[in-house]
């Protein structure tokens, strides 16, 4: 069976993608200069948080994922980042190809929350490969790519931040349930607010300060549609 090895040689943010996208450059090597007609790969990418250090500000940002720093010996477990399928065209011996990874800025996703908390340095990634190889000189034979194929890569935090800034310049993003969105829309319409930013600021102002009596902004929000919290 043909031995394959994989290495990641770089990463960049795709400036022309419709959504946040990272492009990893992969080097694929077939032992003994074997001729490969095609390679159908499955790639799983994991973040390995235990393989880097963290400043105090980063530790505060990671508290909701891993708890207090004193517990990190047991809580700093790998975080799933992506699962991607890739078809590598035919080559002999060695080739390089792009692995395109669509990303999200949804802060409910553990990987996004982890990456957003980092301020500098590198993100330790582990890439796990498997799949099917079509190999042969005259005809071709089908061989599995073993499950133990992997590559280690350290992605600059700046690359992630560059990607996010391209699609969400100066902004964040949150996902809300439909009932909450309906309540927000009703609140915004009733108060003739010009934007979602103004809507949320109005709600925060409505709930801030120490002057009694002060009504509950969440109750005021859900009361506009008659809905209650799920």
């Amino acid at each position: 069976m043909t031995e394959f090895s994989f290495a990641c040689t770089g990463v960049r943010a795709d400036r022309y993608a419709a959504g946040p996208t990272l492009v990893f450059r992969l080097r694929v090597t077939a032992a003994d200069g074997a001729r490969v007609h095609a390679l159908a790969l499955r790639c799983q990418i994991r973040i390995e948080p235990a393989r880097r250090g963290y400043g105090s500000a980063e530790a505060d940002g990671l508290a909701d994922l891993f708890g207090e720093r004193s517990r990190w010996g047991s809580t700093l477990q790998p975080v799933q980042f992506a699962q991607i399928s890739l078809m590598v065209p035919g080559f002999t011996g060695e080739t390089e190809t792009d692995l395109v990874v669509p990303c999200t800025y949804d802060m409910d996703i553990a990987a996004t929350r982890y990456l957003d908390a980092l301020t500098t340095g590198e993100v330790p990634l582990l890439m796990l490969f498997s799949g099917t190889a079509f190999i042969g000189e005259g005809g071709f034979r089908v061989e599995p790519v073993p499950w133990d194929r992997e590559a280690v890569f350290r992605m600059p935090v700046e690359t992630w931040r560059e990607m996010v800034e391209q699609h969400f310049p100066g902004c964040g993003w949150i996902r809300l349930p439909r009932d909450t969105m309906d309540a927000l829309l009703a609140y915004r319409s009733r108060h003739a607010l010009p934007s979602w930013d103004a809507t949320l600021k109005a709600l925060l102002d409505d709930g801030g300060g120490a002057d009694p009596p002060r009504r509950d902004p969440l109750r005021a929000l859900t009361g506009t549609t008659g809905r209650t919290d799920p």
Side-chain angles (χ1 to χ4, degrees):
M1 192 166 64
T2 305
E3 287 288 328
F4 288 94
S5 60
F6 300 87
C8 183
T9 61
V11 64
R12 60 182 172 85
D14 189 342
R15 293 180 173 273
Y16 306 104
T21 303
L22 293 172
V23 181
F24 293 87
R25 190 66 175 171
L26 291 183
R27 179 183 298 129
V28 184
T29 303
D32 302 322
R35 181 180 178 186
V36 180
H37 297 286
L39 201 56
L41 289 178
R42 293 181 296 273
C43 179
Q44 181 180 160
I45 306 178
R46 296 177 184 172
I47 298 170
E48 296 198 308
R51 290 175 43 215
R52 62 157 284 167
Y54 302 91
S56 57
E58 292 175 329
D60 290 342
L62 294 171
D64 61 336
L65 282 179
F66 305 121
E68 297 298 323
R69 193 189 284 267
S70 60
R71 299 177 52 210
W72 283 10
S74 59
T75 62
L76 223 58
Q77 300 298 317
V79 176
Q80 183 75 10
F81 181 58
Q83 293 195 60
I84 303 295
S85 296
L86 173 67
M87 182 62 72
V88 181
F91 65 94
T92 299
E94 185 175 279
T95 188
E96 290 197 359
T97 188
D98 286 338
L99 178 66
V100 179
V101 179
C103 301
T104 178
Y105 198 36
D106 185 347
M107 295 301 290
D108 284 340
I109 305 299
T112 302
R113 287 157 64 193
Y114 173 85
L115 291 163
D116 185 70
L118 303 184
T119 58
T120 188
E122 297 173 326
V123 183
L125 300 178
L126 177 64
M127 298 180 169
L128 304 171
F129 298 94
S130 62
T132 304
F134 302 88
I135 296 175
E137 291 295 336
F140 70 87
R141 63 184 184 275
V142 179
E143 297 181 357
V145 176
W147 284 90
D148 62 353
R149 304 295 92 177
E150 63 182 44
V152 174
F153 182 67
R154 302 188 74 87
M155 178 179 71
V157 172
E158 185 58 34
T159 302
W160 167 265
R161 294 195 171 278
E162 176 189 346
M163 179 199 70
V164 171
E165 190 64 19
Q166 288 172 7
H167 295 275
F168 303 101
C171 300
W173 188 91
I174 57 174
R175 179 177 57 188
L176 297 174
R178 176 65 64 184
D179 282 357
T180 305
M181 283 299 301
D182 290 345
L184 279 171
L185 181 59
Y187 183 92
R188 176 179 173 177
S189 298
R190 192 178 78 231
H191 292 275
L193 296 167
S195 66
W196 289 116
D197 184 52
T199 302
L200 293 176
K201 285 181 177 177
L203 282 166
L204 290 171
D205 291 343
D206 193 35
D211 297 333
R214 179 70 68 173
R215 57 194 176 123
D216 183 352
L218 182 59
R219 185 179 299 277
L221 172 62
T222 55
T224 61
T225 62
R227 292 182 171 85
T228 57
D229 282 340

